[in-house]
Amino acid sequence: MSNFRKKFIEFNKSLWLNVPSNNEIVLVEGRPFVNQMLASSMAAKAVEEVFKIPTIVWLSSHQEMDIYLSFSIEKFIKKKKYFLQYFIYIFSNSISTTLKMLYELGFKRNKIEYFIDFYKLDGIRLGDLIYDTFIRNDLSFLNPNLFSLKFLKIFIYTMFEFYSIKHFFKKNNVKFAVVSKWQYTNSGALIARFALYNEIKVIHATFNQALLVSNYEHVFHDCFKVFNIEDSRLDENFLDKKIEERFSGEGHGIDIKSAFSNKIWDEGDLSSFFGSRYDRKKKNVFIMLHAFSDANHLSGKLIYRDYYKWFSATMEIISKLDNVNWIVKQHPSRKVYYEEEIVNNFFVNNDTKNILLLPDNFNTYSVFKLADSFITARGTIALEASLIGIPSILVGESNFSNLGFTYDMETVLQYESILSNIENVPSLNENEILLAKKAFYNYPLTAGSKLKNIDKSWVFELFHPSQSIIDRRLIEEDYFKRIIHTIGLDFAGKRNPYYKDILDALKYLKNQN
């Protein structure tokens, strides 16, 4: 354990008290990263203060307890031990469910699409989580097979955890669940879906702020989704600053740093790079790709099975269309997912003479100077483009779809139709641009948190799954050093803005009831 981690734990222990045991429980998803532990611990302590309900943490074997203990959270369930303790119930249900799933899929024509959108267990949709986990690490999206050994292992493991969680909920009176992540088949996703389906409130403890969730349908979207902007107010000065930060590469997140860099291109650069294949008389349509492995269904349903299928299907459609300059931009973070050569190889092995592939050193900001329209599955580029009136076509639900300023595709036929006529898609009008600005302003991943003193919250995001263990330890050491020496006592314990924010939300909930 690092020196600053030890100092933090000693310092934090003095700030929190136990809540006496009773017949109710706050169930917390255990997490590997310290900022997630701090966020979920503060959310749980806020529930304890308002409702006097003690906390239990649902842990994997590799997850540590010291941070939770420093918050006087002292009860833990290790899920592997829980599985062994109730082996007969969990194992028998898991195997019978797996066999039933295989039998059902045998009669389905579009097996993968059906599984993603409709597979349920006890009424709870799980297919999207399982499929996204299946394609996450080894490029399985190139040729997915739901009858492969890899898929069956993931499915059975998910069943083990699902039935463990179900058994725990049935055996215990869980009143709140606190999760940090609800994508993929991790504990948080399964806990959140089970809880919300059974009308148990969930606190989503993100780095931005802890969100109180009671609507089951919300769990099928990113926690940052903007559902309603009709009554949204706008701080134009704040918005202009955030837009400038976003486009300059100073904004939050690894994708921003890698996307907005290098020289800004103009039409002359496109003409010089692509030669006669680029026609200045035609409109420019930019196709902005995603990292194919990354949480394909976190933000909702797609009209194609996944990001890669959308890409390959789009290439097939537009290879027969010569109405515009089709220009493809690869995702800036694809190297993180070991996907560097997939698109390049596709262009080498297929007839794509009328489709232009941008080089890696192309500055993403250039597209706003060059584009007449955009196509993306659900990328934030569509929101940014809408700010300046450039229309965007989305082929899936997104954090800002169905708000009145994007073209939201619901079927493949609708998508094919708009591609064949895309040169006639009009620019956004003033009202549509205003809606886009409201969405940008209310979307935490672009405009930032509205939580007061968020930089003093302890829950700033510093960790990424691809980081090595050594890198994580170095970042963690600096993380706790910053808490102790920079933030200090003024924002510790119950004075922490993250804690105070969810505490106020819980007090309001209690008063409403």
Side-chain angles (χ1 to χ4, degrees):
M1 185 187 299
S2 68
N3 290 330
F4 283 105
R5 184 174 181 140
K6 287 180 182 177
K7 289 180 181 178
F8 171 80
I9 288 170
E10 292 172 3
F11 153 72
N12 197 45
K13 277 181 179 178
S14 64
L15 305 174
W16 307 97
L17 299 174
N18 280 318
V19 169
S21 296
N22 58 49
N23 66 343
E24 297 178 327
I25 289 171
V26 181
L27 182 63
V28 171
E29 170 209 13
R31 291 296 300 174
F33 300 129
V34 292
N35 58 336
Q36 295 170 337
M37 296 181 205
L38 293 176
S40 57
S41 294
M42 284 191 282
K45 297 306 287 188
V47 177
E48 288 185 3
E49 179 173 338
V50 176
F51 293 96
K52 311 304 178 189
I53 304 173
T55 298
I56 293 179
V57 182
W58 184 266
L59 282 177
S60 297
S61 57
H62 63 280
Q63 290 167 351
E64 297 174 283
M65 297 184 288
D66 56 348
I67 299 296
Y68 300 111
L69 288 168
S70 75
F71 283 88
S72 293
I73 296 172
E74 299 175 346
K75 293 185 178 181
F76 302 89
I77 296 290
K78 293 190 175 180
K79 60 184 182 182
K80 286 187 178 179
K81 288 185 177 180
Y82 195 88
F83 166 70
L84 292 174
Q85 185 177 357
Y86 300 100
F87 175 82
I88 295 176
Y89 168 81
I90 296 168
F91 181 80
S92 60
N93 278 282
S94 299
I95 297 303
S96 64
T97 298
T98 302
L99 294 174
K100 182 180 179 183
M101 179 274 300
L102 291 173
Y103 177 78
E104 290 177 351
L105 283 185
F107 293 95
K108 300 298 180 184
R109 183 178 177 185
N110 298 315
K111 294 177 175 60
I112 297 177
E113 290 80 359
Y114 171 83
F115 182 81
I116 293 169
D117 289 337
F118 299 108
Y119 182 75
K120 296 180 180 179
L121 185 57
D122 290 352
I124 301 169
R125 270 186 58 203
L126 296 177
D128 56 328
L129 296 176
I130 296 170
Y131 183 78
D132 283 1
T133 303
F134 170 54
I135 65 170
R136 186 180 185 188
N137 295 317
D138 62 358
L139 311 185
S140 293
F141 54 80
L142 293 172
N143 188 27
N145 179 6
L146 299 194
F147 294 94
S148 66
L149 181 60
K150 177 193 174 186
F151 176 80
L152 290 176
K153 285 181 178 178
I154 292 170
F155 186 89
I156 292 171
Y157 182 84
T158 304
M159 294 304 102
F160 285 168
E161 180 143 25
F162 177 85
Y163 280 109
S164 297
I165 289 168
K166 177 181 177 180
H167 187 274
F168 182 86
F169 271 81
K170 297 300 182 184
K171 191 178 177 184
N172 297 276
N173 187 11
V174 180
K175 302 301 290 184
F176 287 88
V178 180
V179 304
S180 297
K181 293 285 184 181
W182 64 26
Q183 63 264 50
Y184 303 115
T185 54
N186 57 45
S187 301
L190 297 176
I191 288 171
R193 292 197 179 187
F194 190 92
L196 289 170
Y197 184 79
N198 289 281
E199 300 182 343
I200 297 168
K201 289 182 172 54
V202 168
I203 298 174
H204 200 166
T206 71
F207 69 89
N208 171 60
Q209 65 187 125
L211 304 172
L212 187 59
V213 184
S214 57
N215 188 334
Y216 172 65
E217 293 302 321
H218 286 191
V219 81
F220 301 108
H221 300 279
D222 192 332
C223 62
F224 301 117
K225 181 172 177 60
V226 180
F227 286 99
N228 185 3
I229 55 173
E230 290 180 5
D231 299 324
S232 173
R233 295 181 180 178
L234 211 59
D235 183 334
E236 293 279 2
N237 292 330
F238 176 85
L239 179 64
D240 290 343
K241 179 182 177 183
K242 287 299 177 181
I243 291 173
E244 183 180 353
E245 287 178 0
R246 179 83 179 177
F247 291 159
S248 67
E250 297 175 7
H252 179 86
I254 185 173
D255 293 347
I256 307 307
K257 303 294 183 185
S258 51
F260 297 115
S261 56
N262 305 317
K263 174 186 178 294
I264 306 260
W265 284 37
D266 57 25
E267 276 210 314
D269 294 307
L270 285 178
S271 184
S272 175
F273 186 82
F274 292 113
S276 60
R277 295 173 63 205
Y278 177 75
D279 188 343
R280 289 198 184 206
K281 296 178 182 178
K282 294 179 180 178
K283 290 188 175 182
N284 295 329
V285 178
F286 283 82
I287 302 168
M288 311 299 287
L289 302 183
H290 292 257
F292 299 128
S293 307
D294 187 26
N296 281 232
H297 300 90
L298 171 62
S299 298
K301 293 184 178 182
L302 299 164
I303 64 171
Y304 290 100
R305 145 192 112 205
D306 52 36
Y307 294 148
Y308 179 75
K309 181 65 176 178
W310 159 64
F311 159 68
S312 59
T314 301
M315 296 301 101
E316 182 178 355
I317 296 167
I318 66 175
S319 67
K320 304 177 181 70
L321 300 173
D322 201 26
N323 46 340
V324 296
N325 292 311
W326 301 106
I327 306 172
V328 175
K329 175 74 174 69
Q330 298 191 68
H331 194 273
S333 299
R334 68 189 184 282
K335 292 181 181 179
V336 174
Y337 302 96
Y338 308 104
E339 299 172 4
E340 299 99 314
E341 299 306 319
I342 290 176
V343 174
N344 292 334
N345 290 341
F346 185 94
F347 270 72
V348 169
N349 297 323
N350 292 274
D351 182 9
T352 55
K353 288 182 290 187
N354 68 321
I355 308 171
L356 310 176
L357 178 63
L358 291 166
D360 284 344
N361 65 352
F362 179 85
N363 182 319
T364 303
Y365 183 70
S366 306
V367 298
F368 301 108
K369 307 289 186 183
L370 296 166
D372 293 288
S373 58
F374 287 96
I375 303 169
T376 175
R378 53 167 60 102
T380 310
I381 192 81
L383 174 57
E384 296 160 338
S386 299
L387 298 173
I388 53 176
I390 303 174
S392 292
I393 289 91
L394 301 177
V395 297
E397 294 177 296
S398 80
N399 286 336
F400 46 85
S401 57
N402 299 305
L403 294 176
F405 58 88
T406 53
Y407 289 83
D408 305 310
M409 301 296 99
E410 297 184 359
T411 67
V412 171
L413 285 176
Q414 183 188 17
Y415 181 53
E416 291 174 346
S417 176
I418 201 169
L419 290 183
S420 66
N421 194 43
I422 198 167
E423 69 272 24
N424 296 318
V425 173
S427 299
L428 273 59
N429 59 40
E430 289 185 10
N431 183 61
E432 290 167 333
I433 293 172
L434 178 61
L435 291 173
K437 287 184 175 182
K438 288 182 177 181
F440 189 97
Y441 181 73
N442 286 279
Y443 183 32
L445 294 185
T446 52
S449 174
K450 300 297 187 298
L451 178 62
K452 188 178 180 181
N453 293 318
I454 184 65
D455 58 323
K456 305 291 193 282
S457 70
W458 294 1
V459 189
F460 35 88
E461 186 182 37
L462 290 171
F463 303 95
H464 192 276
S466 66
Q467 291 167 340
S468 69
I469 293 175
I470 294 174
D471 286 340
R472 289 185 195 176
R473 286 174 179 168
L474 291 173
I475 293 172
E476 183 182 291
E477 181 76 352
D478 185 64
Y479 181 92
F480 285 114
K481 181 179 179 181
R482 177 179 166 186
I483 287 177
I484 292 169
H485 291 302
T486 305
I487 298 176
L489 292 172
D490 289 342
F491 293 94
K494 295 182 180 180
R495 295 188 295 274
N496 188 283
Y498 192 93
Y499 176 84
K500 290 168 68 176
D501 186 70
I502 188 60
L503 183 73
D504 290 342
L506 290 166
K507 285 180 177 178
Y508 179 80
L509 173 67
K510 186 176 182 181
N511 291 335
Q512 290 295 102
N513 295 334

